[in-house]
Amino acid sequence: MNRRPPSLESHCGEFLSYGDFITCSDTWKRLDRDGGIDNIPRQSETWASMERMARDILDPVRRHFEQRVILTYGFSGPALARALRATEYPNITPSGDQHAGSELNRNGNLICKRRGIAVDFHVAGTSSWEVARWVVENTPFDRLYFYSAHRPFHVSVGPDENRSIVFMRGYRGGPHQPITMTRSKFLSLEPS
């Protein structure tokens, strides 16, 4: 890390702190209660990506919808990813989902070559369908994975700004079938 990491209480945007990104998952909260888990980013690029996510995606969403943005999954370092795989999420893919930010593995290689950062979130009192549509139309996101109008959705920022949209068709508790779609196709869908 090139610079001293900011405190978790420091704001990385207008409304959210770095700690909001690091401590938002239920697994982290449970493990922290049971003695803690190291989920602090080591790379300055990861911290910078949190700032970018707040500035370019989450702050504009908060201002537009005038409701609190609720993060359900944010930064996931190696220890948290191991805990998630060992418990309720055995199929997570740190190498592809950008929750690892720009962190390095034991061999000094990027965990996720896409870099940037990802969060799963929803907005209090607002359909995720409405929020996701607004994000697609108004922000420089990299990837967006949408599940349903009643669940948080995944969005990332990254250097590529691919604006890739994946509709995760599936049933509660069952496997999801990822369907990549164009912006116009996504915006024409009926909410589910």
Side-chain angles (χ1 to χ4, degrees):
M1 174 133 190
N2 300 335
R3 63 180 181 156
R4 186 176 175 202
S7 74
L8 297 187
E9 296 80 28
S10 298
H11 276 253
C12 55
E14 190 175 345
F15 303 102
L16 296 168
S17 70
Y18 293 100
D20 292 325
F21 283 83
I22 293 167
T23 65
C24 62
S25 81
D26 289 340
T27 302
W28 185 90
K29 290 172 187 169
R30 187 184 77 254
L31 293 171
D32 186 58
R33 190 175 51 241
D34 294 339
I37 188 166
D38 179 10
N39 195 43
I40 302 298
R42 305 289 189 260
Q43 304 302 312
S44 59
E45 189 177 342
T46 302
W47 294 96
S49 293
M50 288 183 215
E51 292 170 14
R52 182 171 174 219
M53 172 64 77
R55 179 189 69 235
D56 293 351
I57 309 286
L58 301 174
D59 285 350
V61 165
R62 169 67 172 86
R63 284 191 297 272
H64 178 78
F65 290 98
E66 298 180 343
Q67 294 293 327
R68 188 168 65 101
V69 168
I70 302 165
L71 301 181
T72 59
Y73 185 35
F75 172 72
S76 180
L80 182 57
R82 281 190 300 276
L84 287 165
R85 273 195 301 272
T87 58
E88 61 264 52
Y89 300 103
N91 296 323
I92 64 166
T93 55
S95 64
D97 69 13
Q98 294 172 282
H99 286 286
S102 296
E103 298 303 296
L104 306 176
N105 63 21
R106 292 181 202 156
N107 299 323
N109 299 316
L110 285 167
I111 293 169
C112 178
K113 291 182 174 131
R114 293 177 179 159
R115 301 187 333 264
I117 195 76
V119 296
D120 294 6
F121 79 100
H122 62 100
V123 172
T126 307
S127 161
S128 286
W129 174 247
E130 186 178 345
V131 178
R133 286 176 53 98
W134 191 88
V135 167
V136 166
E137 292 179 308
N138 295 285
T139 70
F141 68 96
D142 187 36
R143 287 174 162 51
L144 185 142
Y145 303 146
F146 183 80
Y147 297 88
S148 83
H150 311 289
R151 289 186 54 192
F153 65 96
H154 169 106
V155 68
S156 68
V157 295
D160 296 337
E161 287 186 16
N162 283 318
R163 293 196 165 100
S164 173
I165 302 167
V166 179
F167 180 75
M168 302 297 276
R169 177 166 286 158
Y171 299 97
R172 220 170 254 192
H176 287 94
Q177 177 187 7
I179 302 168
T180 302
M181 53 183 56
T182 65
R183 177 183 184 272
S184 60
K185 174 70 174 170
F186 180 75
L187 294 174
S188 72
L189 292 176
E190 291 298 320
S192 59

